[in-house]
Amino acid sequence: MKRTHTCGELTLDNKGEKVILQGWVKKNRKLGALTFIDLRDRYGTTQLLIDESSQKKFPEIKSEFVIEITGEVLERKSKNPDLKTGEIEVKVINLIIINEAKLTPFEIKDGLEANEDTKMTFRYLDLRREEMQKNLLIRSQVNKIIRDYYHRLNFIEVETPIFGKSTPEGARDFLVPSRVNVNKFYALPQSPQLYKQLLMIAGMDRYFQIAKCFRDEDLRIDRQPEFTQLDMEMSFATPEDIQNNIENLLAEIIFKVKNIKIKTPLPRITYQEAISKYGIDKPDLRFSLEINDVNDIFKSSEVNLFCNLKKNEKIRAIKVDSLLAKKDLEQLTEVAKQNSLVNLPFLKYSNNEWTGSLAKNLSDSEKQQLLKKFEIKGDCTILFAVGDFDISSRGLGAVRNEAAKILKLYKPEEINLLWVVDFPLFEFSEEENRYVAAHHPFTQPKEESLQDFDKNKSTALAAAYDIVMNGFEIGGGSQRITNENIQKRMFKAIEMSNQTVEDNFGWFINAYQYGAPYHSGCALGIDRIVMILTQASSIREVIAFPKNSNGIDPMTNAPDLVSTKQLDEINLKLK
Amino acid sequence: MKRTHTCGELTLDNKGEKVILQGWVKKNRKLGALTFIDLRDRYGTTQLLIDESSQKKFPEIKSEFVIEITGEVLERKSKNPDLKTGEIEVKVINLIIINEAKLTPFEIKDGLEANEDTKMTFRYLDLRREEMQKNLLIRSQVNKIIRDYYHRLNFIEVETPIFGKSTPEGARDFLVPSRVNVNKFYALPQSPQLYKQLLMIAGMDRYFQIAKCFRDEDLRIDRQPEFTQLDMEMSFATPEDIQNNIENLLAEIIFKVKNIKIKTPLPRITYQEAISKYGIDKPDLRFSLEINDVNDIFKSSEVNLFCNLKKNEKIRAIKVDSLLAKKDLEQLTEVAKQNSLVNLPFLKYSNNEWTGSLAKNLSDSEKQQLLKKFEIKGDCTILFAVGDFDISSRGLGAVRNEAAKILKLYKPEEINLLWVVDFPLFEFSEEENRYVAAHHPFTQPKEESLQDFDKNKSTALAAAYDIVMNGFEIGGGSQRITNENIQKRMFKAIEMSNQTVEDNFGWFINAYQYGAPYHSGCALGIDRIVMILTQASSIREVIAFPKNSNGIDPMTNAPDLVSTKQLDEINLKLK
């Protein structure tokens, strides 16, 4: 290479050396007779110095020009201790312009408030920002740590097909018309689930892959039509084996990237406990704020809201150690309403005084019991939800997250991990008026549900688990069915006809008949993990060329119209 | 994990230990009162021993059953030195069946001649073969070596989108209908070419990715609709920098996988030299067999074929150090005809005698000159082609490859690598009646062609290079255009209208205006490289779940029909 050093490399050790640097002009300023240039590349910034006599010899340069300079490394007078190259500057002997640059549509600097679509249209300029470069470097590092980890443990990385077969169940598939096989379509994988199970049946024993997956779901702010997941599977492994494997991996990633030591084994709580205590199956446990049942306290209450409860109605509450301001209470009420609660009644406690919307008819006994139940020692606010257990739990779960944010109950750089286990095997789909697989129909029922999972669907448990990081579900997995008979009962339980099973999964279920090891696995969402590690505000910030919330890349303008010739070739017509 | 060891692990060091093994029954045979079972997993095979008294206690087992045994490690009487576990056997104390197996549709063993479609339908069984497991393990290892190499050199691995934009030029795109953006289509990438160039403009400096690519080309025996390539790019790098980088990588792969040391720097020959000497731009140099011009020798010949040559016709020939048998000559003539030669005239030399179809009117002077030209020292055959330089060269190039195969001029495990450089910038497309980019339209013309590449298209050279391994083009790359003006001349030279350029590449060319570093890169075909390293007969043997030559996966039956509902959702109709 022509350059002798990068822009992040020179120190006093290089003093006196003649060097060649190449990079982008970050800053260019005159100070009396001297010109100072900050030259930037991925590795850092180096200060260049041009004296008055040389200035005339060199072409004029502007921000973002790409230049090459030859120069001598000098000790800098006013050193910059924050910069690796902060002790030196390079006196320019020769300077050539490699490529000029027009004025960029926005300044190349972090924290800039530019229009999101403009930034995406000129993504290659947005990617010049230090923060974006750091995000992509961490992403690259995370992938490396994952691969090193699995190779060290004798896993084999296998690439599974992008061109697969469309199957019912799960999200909507993206389709790819086949030109050669007229009127037929490939489907892009929502995950390599069936392939990795076949690899277990093939005896690959330990498989991993960092895989592209695709789901044609309705787009949300933080959803991309394509995403990346770590996909892994182990033969002769139980859910516990997988959980150990995954938590050790995550601890290694977090230590190497953030220098934070995570204590393993991670806490494991059941789905039921998560909903009950935190109102959500992906609780953020950087803070406590548990939800409590307080029916007992109010069983003969004269508080309006609590008299005349219906049989299944619950009174649930969380306590915040703060007298919430009106504005905060309004904000929390808003969140409560967005999450199916009618309102957010509350009590405030301060100096032995109870105030708030429910204080009026509160009995002394109720006051005493509240003090005891919530271990109240000073000012606090208790937020209530009344109604169906599930709805009031989920509503308070959302309120809990918002309250923690308002009260700054955690440090943004903190990392909290836990497993949620014992998920329901089924969930009832109102839309389809039947039970569907909560995870996917290849999930093994938990030991205790094996007998009757197809009879007692509402209570059947799955050998399935999710891993939760700072309130995000970053992954999950299960033990898989490897018994033809259990698989058939499962399909029957979700009311899939024999014909549909045969047409769609016959090829797969057949494989169980030729010697299948029991196996379990997991998948982790790389985009989300890197987003959390970099404290990025969106997964778009950790993807080099993302789509916007309409599934469009404003840079290339994909997706786009195609020619009639192209459609003819695949035998399709727009409707 | 429940197993204490894998099936490839136990040695005499474990003698006396109580172990738990899990795996597949590979063989199951009775020898007198004893039963011997070979238990197999990915790591190896362990011999199990069941004595007569235990036999009755255990369930009956058959080939490919998955079982778990508890047993004691004993020293084996008749040791097998070829096996890591060959010194021991495990006396079974307990045996349970994890899963039974039906009779497999073909035997699980290497070298079996089973119907290809049957093997693909039961791919998970074919993958149990030792050879297939080895192939996939080597593939995994190669990917690991590549990633370690690039991380060591400070490259960043960036994932580029699978959902891109369809552009003209190049092969046919696979399309993905967008449901949200009605009537619009994403295109799957034929390579991450433009994205990686944008990453250079974004200042990423050194990029690599092991990327999935897609081309909707007509299928051939050895072509897959999806394939995997190593894709890399370096800023401020010349073609020589890239060639050094790639050849060091390949040398590392070959050393680590095959324990063969490749001498670097690799030979570099020009495209022109390759065609002239070997009749092909991807010569197999495990053997010599150069093609020679012999016009001079026959300039006043009385041999029928050589009189009355047209002005541009060449007489070209290769010499084989063997008196080819009639059958071999017929086979070579067949190859010659398949490669546009009319026939394959020849001379044989033995004991000072010349025979063969051209011997009749051969003059003494011609004989003398042939002896000298071809440095003939013993029996040999000279094969001739007469006609247009290009056609006769390419025809003899194919004959050359076939002759080397017949005469076993190389060892199958040998590895030969070379660079072919100075490719033409354009090639004339008869179909489109215009010059098209030989590599792609972002390829920088070679320094000496910069001035007039758009005037002298037939002779313009590209800063492009291919890497050739054992006669396969395994990769290639180029320096890229980074100057807007050169890019515009290039598009004009291939007769792309300004409007088409603007519509399809405007977004990309714009990027050059904001400070572009010069950059070069390369892509390597992972499937082919692993195929050569494993001496597999086809890339299908190194892909876990390939498509057959009709683009179909007989296992899943992808591609397949989809429901009208699915088509409605993406607003499409079959024609």
Side-chain angles (χ1 to χ4, degrees):
Chain A
M1 309 268 298
K2 200 169 176 194
R3 70 184 177 203
T4 57
H5 298 79
T6 70
C7 296
E9 201 174 350
L10 294 169
T11 65
L12 271 185
D13 293 345
N14 305 94
K15 193 175 160 180
E17 283 178 28
K18 197 175 159 193
V19 297
I20 298 175
L21 300 181
Q22 297 169 314
W24 284 258
V25 175
K26 185 179 173 186
K27 264 195 212 154
N28 179 17
R29 60 199 186 283
K30 281 207 164 116
L31 218 71
L34 301 174
T35 302
F36 290 94
I37 297 169
D38 282 352
L39 194 67
R40 183 196 69 221
D41 66 12
R42 192 186 100 196
Y43 311 95
T45 302
T46 300
Q47 179 167 301
L48 309 180
L49 167 70
I50 303 179
D51 64 23
E52 197 169 19
S53 65
S54 306
Q55 252 173 63
K56 292 157 209 156
K57 292 192 311 191
F58 301 148
E60 198 197 344
I61 57 167
K62 294 180 185 162
S63 281
E64 300 306 316
F65 274 35
V66 183
I67 63 171
E68 173 182 310
I69 64 102
T70 310
E72 189 191 341
V73 182
L74 305 181
E75 184 164 357
R76 208 196 275 193
K77 287 200 188 77
S78 55
K79 300 199 170 54
N80 180 348
D82 296 337
L83 221 59
K84 202 194 159 194
T85 62
E87 296 184 314
I88 59 95
E89 59 194 2
V90 176
K91 189 178 172 225
V92 180
I93 299 166
N94 198 17
L95 183 158
I96 58 171
I97 292 171
I98 292 175
N99 244 324
E100 300 191 352
K102 288 204 308 196
L103 187 66
T104 52
F106 48 83
E107 213 184 325
I108 312 295
K109 74 172 189 192
D110 286 334
L112 192 80
E113 293 290 331
N115 174 286
E116 190 61 27
D117 253 24
T118 308
K119 280 164 85 174
M120 288 185 74
T121 304
F122 296 92
R123 185 71 172 178
Y124 45 89
L125 298 180
D126 201 30
L127 288 178
R128 283 187 191 163
R129 290 194 292 120
E130 216 171 290
E131 193 185 330
M132 294 301 282
Q133 303 225 330
K134 188 203 72 181
N135 288 356
L136 292 190
L137 280 165
I138 288 179
R139 186 178 181 121
S140 175
Q141 187 193 359
V142 167
N143 283 349
K144 175 81 165 92
I145 295 167
I146 292 173
R147 291 200 173 95
D148 286 348
Y149 178 84
Y150 281 113
H151 280 285
R152 201 161 72 224
L153 294 176
N154 241 327
F155 279 67
I156 172 171
E157 185 175 27
V158 180
E159 301 163 48
T160 54
I162 299 291
F163 284 165
K165 180 183 159 91
S166 185
T167 56
E169 297 298 296
R172 202 180 283 111
D173 287 321
F174 278 108
L175 299 176
V176 182
S178 167
R179 180 178 54 86
V180 181
N181 298 281
V182 185
N183 294 347
K184 295 188 171 180
F185 294 77
Y186 299 105
L188 303 182
Q190 296 182 29
S191 89
Q193 185 62 35
L194 301 189
Y195 291 112
K196 72 174 170 177
Q197 293 193 228
L198 290 175
L199 288 174
M200 294 303 102
I201 295 172
M204 287 300 164
D205 200 64
R206 306 180 144 208
Y207 144 91
F208 86 101
Q209 181 183 198
I210 295 183
K212 291 274 178 204
C213 302
F214 308 85
R215 278 181 208 172
D216 188 8
E217 294 177 304
D218 289 329
L219 295 158
R220 288 191 208 141
I221 266 295
D222 230 25
R223 207 182 255 173
Q224 292 281 320
E226 58 180 295
F227 57 97
T228 305
Q229 74 181 34
L230 161 68
D231 193 52
M232 59 81 73
E233 195 82 11
M234 283 165 84
S235 288
F236 307 113
T238 61
E240 290 69 34
D241 296 324
I242 301 297
Q243 287 159 22
N244 292 342
N245 175 285
I246 292 287
E247 65 190 27
N248 288 334
L249 168 67
L250 287 168
E252 189 163 320
I253 291 172
I254 291 162
F255 182 69
K256 288 190 171 164
V257 173
K258 308 272 288 183
N259 204 25
I260 294 174
K261 280 197 179 161
I262 297 287
K263 208 177 132 228
T264 54
L266 296 176
R268 280 145 174 80
I269 68 174
T270 66
Y271 171 85
Q272 207 44 58
E273 186 184 353
I275 299 293
S276 167
K277 283 193 181 163
Y278 311 107
I280 195 166
D281 60 358
K282 44 185 180 185
D284 190 341
L285 296 194
R286 285 178 295 181
F287 49 93
S288 170
L289 285 195
E290 275 185 27
I291 305 173
N292 288 274
D293 261 319
V294 289
N295 280 52
D296 283 356
I297 298 178
F298 298 106
K299 57 179 176 269
S300 48
S301 181
E302 291 180 15
V303 176
N304 275 342
L305 190 64
F306 301 149
C307 326
N308 308 318
L309 285 187
K310 285 183 207 120
K311 199 180 166 209
N312 282 318
E313 284 191 328
K314 294 283 174 201
I315 312 171
R316 315 213 68 211
I318 54 176
K319 180 203 69 168
V320 213
D321 286 323
S322 162
L323 291 171
L324 287 174
K326 189 163 172 241
K327 162 177 83 57
D328 294 337
L329 279 165
E330 280 168 4
Q331 191 176 330
L332 293 174
T333 304
E334 189 52 43
V335 168
K337 287 181 177 169
Q338 283 162 9
N339 286 275
S340 310
L341 297 184
V342 181
N343 53 18
L344 188 65
F346 63 91
L347 285 172
K348 285 185 182 180
Y349 175 85
S350 183
N351 294 322
N352 247 336
E353 285 287 332
W354 291 88
T355 53
S357 57
L358 300 172
K360 206 167 142 202
N361 291 323
L362 209 59
S363 71
D364 282 348
S365 151
E366 286 167 347
K367 288 176 185 170
Q368 280 311 316
Q369 287 183 74
L370 283 173
L371 286 173
K372 195 175 159 207
K373 174 87 180 175
F374 288 103
E375 297 171 0
I376 292 173
K377 290 184 188 83
D379 293 359
C380 68
T381 309
I382 305 180
L383 305 161
F384 291 86
V386 178
D388 168 82
F389 175 82
D390 221 56
I391 291 174
S392 53
S393 300
R394 287 178 195 277
L396 282 184
V399 168
R400 174 183 175 270
N401 280 341
E402 189 68 16
K405 210 181 286 171
I406 289 173
L407 297 168
K408 295 196 171 61
L409 294 186
Y410 55 90
K411 297 197 200 84
E413 67 273 18
E414 235 178 289
I415 302 272
N416 178 278
L417 283 168
L418 74 151
W419 287 102
V420 179
V421 301
D422 293 1
F423 272 80
L425 188 60
F426 302 104
E427 59 193 27
F428 190 77
S429 163
E430 300 288 350
E431 196 188 330
E432 310 202 21
N433 193 34
R434 62 172 175 108
Y435 279 92
V436 297
H439 192 52
H440 56 59
F442 310 102
T443 305
Q444 175 88 349
K446 256 205 117 188
E447 191 66 34
E448 61 254 44
S449 295
L450 264 182
Q451 201 65 39
D452 65 349
F453 71 88
D454 39 357
K455 294 201 187 69
N456 301 321
K457 297 185 205 173
S458 67
T459 54
L461 294 182
Y465 34 86
D466 273 1
I467 175 107
V468 178
M469 187 175 191
N470 292 6
F472 289 92
E473 181 229 311
I474 57 163
S478 64
Q479 180 164 348
R480 324 303 184 180
I481 296 172
T482 43
N483 175 293
E484 207 191 344
N485 185 38
I486 296 177
Q487 186 66 67
K488 283 184 177 162
R489 285 169 59 201
M490 170 59 74
F491 279 128
K492 206 171 162 197
I494 58 173
E495 300 177 36
M496 200 183 278
S497 76
N498 287 345
Q499 193 57 47
T500 308
V501 170
E502 181 52 35
D503 289 350
N504 289 284
F505 300 109
W507 62 275
F508 177 68
I509 303 174
N510 274 344
Y512 297 160
Q513 305 180 335
Y514 294 101
Y518 62 89
H519 55 275
S520 306
C522 196
L524 297 182
I526 303 283
D527 306 290
R528 275 195 189 160
I529 291 174
V530 178
M531 179 188 81
I532 298 169
L533 291 175
T534 56
Q535 291 169 240
S537 57
S538 144
I539 57 169
R540 287 210 296 269
E541 302 286 295
V542 299
I543 296 172
F545 300 102
K547 305 290 184 288
N548 68 15
S549 51
N550 297 316
I552 294 168
D553 174 1
M555 181 179 75
T556 61
N557 200 31
D560 206 350
L561 302 171
V562 297
S563 68
T564 316
K565 178 165 171 270
Q566 282 175 294
L567 289 178
D568 285 349
E569 283 176 332
I570 47 180
N571 203 44
L572 286 178
K573 237 164 63 174
L574 304 178
K575 269 181 73 175
Chain B
M1 309 267 297
K2 199 168 177 195
R3 70 183 178 205
T4 55
H5 298 79
T6 69
C7 296
E9 202 173 350
L10 294 169
T11 65
L12 271 184
D13 294 344
N14 305 94
K15 194 176 158 180
E17 285 178 26
K18 196 176 160 192
V19 297
I20 298 175
L21 299 182
Q22 296 169 314
W24 284 259
V25 175
K26 186 179 172 188
K27 263 193 211 157
N28 180 18
R29 59 200 187 282
K30 282 204 164 120
L31 218 71
L34 301 174
T35 302
F36 290 95
I37 297 169
D38 282 350
L39 193 67
R40 183 196 68 220
D41 66 12
R42 193 186 100 196
Y43 311 95
T45 302
T46 299
Q47 180 168 301
L48 309 180
L49 168 69
I50 302 179
D51 63 24
E52 199 169 16
S53 64
S54 307
Q55 253 172 63
K56 292 156 210 157
K57 293 192 312 194
F58 301 148
E60 198 197 346
I61 56 166
K62 295 181 184 161
S63 282
E64 300 306 317
F65 274 34
V66 183
I67 63 171
E68 173 183 309
I69 64 103
T70 310
E72 187 191 342
V73 183
L74 306 181
E75 184 164 357
R76 207 196 277 192
K77 288 201 188 78
S78 56
K79 300 198 171 54
N80 179 348
D82 296 337
L83 222 58
K84 202 193 160 196
T85 62
E87 296 184 312
I88 59 95
E89 59 194 2
V90 176
K91 189 179 171 225
V92 179
I93 300 166
N94 197 18
L95 184 158
I96 58 171
I97 292 172
I98 292 175
N99 244 324
E100 301 192 353
K102 287 203 310 194
L103 187 67
T104 52
F106 47 84
E107 215 185 324
I108 312 294
K109 74 173 191 189
D110 287 334
L112 191 82
E113 292 292 331
N115 173 287
E116 190 63 26
D117 254 23
T118 307
K119 281 164 82 175
M120 288 185 75
T121 303
F122 296 92
R123 185 70 172 178
Y124 45 88
L125 297 179
D126 201 30
L127 288 178
R128 285 187 191 164
R129 290 193 293 120
E130 216 172 288
E131 192 185 331
M132 294 302 282
Q133 303 225 333
K134 187 204 72 183
N135 288 355
L136 293 190
L137 280 164
I138 288 179
R139 186 178 181 120
S140 176
Q141 186 194 0
V142 167
N143 283 350
K144 175 82 166 88
I145 296 167
I146 291 173
R147 291 200 172 96
D148 286 347
Y149 178 84
Y150 281 113
H151 280 285
R152 201 162 72 226
L153 293 176
N154 241 328
F155 279 67
I156 172 171
E157 185 174 25
V158 180
E159 299 163 50
T160 54
I162 299 290
F163 284 165
K165 182 185 156 91
S166 184
T167 55
E169 297 298 294
R172 201 181 285 108
D173 287 321
F174 278 108
L175 299 176
V176 181
S178 167
R179 181 178 52 87
V180 181
N181 298 280
V182 185
N183 295 346
K184 295 189 171 179
F185 294 77
Y186 299 105
L188 303 182
Q190 297 182 28
S191 89
Q193 185 63 34
L194 300 189
Y195 291 112
K196 72 174 171 177
Q197 293 193 229
L198 290 175
L199 288 174
M200 295 301 103
I201 294 173
M204 288 299 163
D205 201 64
R206 304 179 146 209
Y207 144 90
F208 86 100
Q209 182 184 196
I210 295 184
K212 290 274 179 205
C213 302
F214 309 85
R215 278 179 209 173
D216 188 8
E217 294 178 304
D218 290 327
L219 295 158
R220 288 190 208 143
I221 267 294
D222 230 23
R223 207 182 255 173
Q224 292 282 320
E226 58 180 295
F227 56 98
T228 305
Q229 73 180 33
L230 161 70
D231 193 51
M232 59 82 71
E233 195 81 11
M234 284 165 83
S235 288
F236 307 114
T238 60
E240 291 70 34
D241 296 323
I242 301 297
Q243 287 160 22
N244 290 341
N245 175 284
I246 293 286
E247 65 191 26
N248 288 334
L249 168 66
L250 287 168
E252 190 162 319
I253 291 171
I254 292 162
F255 183 69
K256 288 188 171 166
V257 174
K258 308 273 287 184
N259 205 25
I260 295 174
K261 280 197 178 159
I262 295 288
K263 209 178 132 226
T264 55
L266 298 175
R268 282 147 173 79
I269 69 173
T270 65
Y271 171 85
Q272 207 45 57
E273 187 184 351
I275 299 292
S276 167
K277 283 192 180 163
Y278 310 107
I280 195 165
D281 59 359
K282 45 186 180 186
D284 190 341
L285 295 194
R286 286 178 295 181
F287 50 93
S288 170
L289 285 194
E290 274 185 27
I291 305 172
N292 287 275
D293 262 319
V294 289
N295 280 52
D296 284 358
I297 297 179
F298 297 106
K299 61 179 172 270
S300 47
S301 181
E302 290 180 16
V303 176
N304 275 343
L305 190 66
F306 302 149
C307 326
N308 308 318
L309 285 187
K310 286 184 206 118
K311 201 181 165 206
N312 281 319
E313 284 190 329
K314 295 284 175 202
I315 311 171
R316 317 212 68 211
I318 53 176
K319 181 204 68 168
V320 195
D321 284 325
S322 161
L323 291 172
L324 288 173
K326 190 164 171 240
K327 163 177 80 60
D328 295 337
L329 278 166
E330 280 169 5
Q331 190 177 332
L332 292 173
T333 304
E334 190 51 43
V335 168
K337 286 180 177 170
Q338 283 162 8
N339 287 274
S340 309
L341 297 184
V342 181
N343 53 18
L344 188 66
F346 64 92
L347 285 172
K348 286 184 181 180
Y349 175 85
S350 182
N351 292 323
N352 247 334
E353 284 288 329
W354 291 87
T355 54
S357 59
L358 299 172
K360 206 167 140 201
N361 292 322
L362 208 60
S363 71
D364 282 347
S365 151
E366 286 167 347
K367 290 175 182 171
Q368 281 310 316
Q369 287 182 76
L370 285 172
L371 287 173
K372 196 175 159 206
K373 174 84 178 177
F374 288 102
E375 298 173 1
I376 293 172
K377 289 185 189 83
D379 293 359
C380 69
T381 308
I382 305 179
L383 305 161
F384 291 86
V386 178
D388 168 82
F389 174 83
D390 221 57
I391 291 173
S392 52
S393 300
R394 287 178 194 276
L396 281 184
V399 168
R400 174 182 174 272
N401 280 341
E402 190 68 15
K405 210 181 286 172
I406 290 172
L407 297 168
K408 297 196 170 61
L409 294 186
Y410 55 89
K411 297 195 199 86
E413 67 272 19
E414 235 178 288
I415 301 273
N416 179 278
L417 283 167
L418 75 151
W419 288 102
V420 178
V421 301
D422 293 2
F423 272 80
L425 188 60
F426 302 104
E427 58 193 27
F428 191 78
S429 162
E430 299 289 348
E431 194 189 332
E432 311 202 20
N433 193 33
R434 63 173 174 107
Y435 279 92
V436 296
H439 192 51
H440 56 59
F442 311 101
T443 305
Q444 175 88 349
K446 258 206 115 184
E447 191 65 36
E448 61 255 43
S449 294
L450 264 182
Q451 202 64 41
D452 64 350
F453 71 87
D454 40 356
K455 294 201 186 71
N456 301 321
K457 298 184 204 172
S458 67
T459 54
L461 294 181
Y465 35 87
D466 273 1
I467 176 106
V468 179
M469 187 175 190
N470 292 6
F472 290 93
E473 182 228 309
I474 56 162
S478 64
Q479 180 164 349
R480 324 304 184 180
I481 296 172
T482 42
N483 175 292
E484 205 191 346
N485 186 37
I486 295 177
Q487 187 65 68
K488 284 186 175 160
R489 285 168 60 199
M490 170 59 74
F491 278 129
K492 206 169 161 199
I494 57 173
E495 298 178 36
M496 199 184 278
S497 76
N498 286 345
Q499 194 57 46
T500 309
V501 171
E502 180 53 35
D503 290 349
N504 289 284
F505 302 108
W507 61 276
F508 177 69
I509 304 175
N510 275 345
Y512 297 159
Q513 304 179 338
Y514 294 102
Y518 60 91
H519 54 276
S520 306
C522 197
L524 296 182
I526 303 283
D527 307 291
R528 276 195 189 161
I529 291 173
V530 178
M531 179 188 81
I532 298 169
L533 292 176
T534 57
Q535 291 170 241
S537 58
S538 144
I539 57 169
R540 287 209 297 267
E541 302 285 297
V542 300
I543 296 171
F545 299 102
K547 305 289 183 289
N548 69 15
S549 51
N550 297 316
I552 294 168
D553 174 0
M555 182 179 74
T556 60
N557 200 33
D560 206 349
L561 302 171
V562 296
S563 68
T564 316
K565 177 166 172 269
Q566 282 175 294
L567 289 179
D568 285 349
E569 283 176 333
I570 47 179
N571 203 45
L572 285 178
K573 236 165 62 176
L574 304 178
K575 270 181 71 172

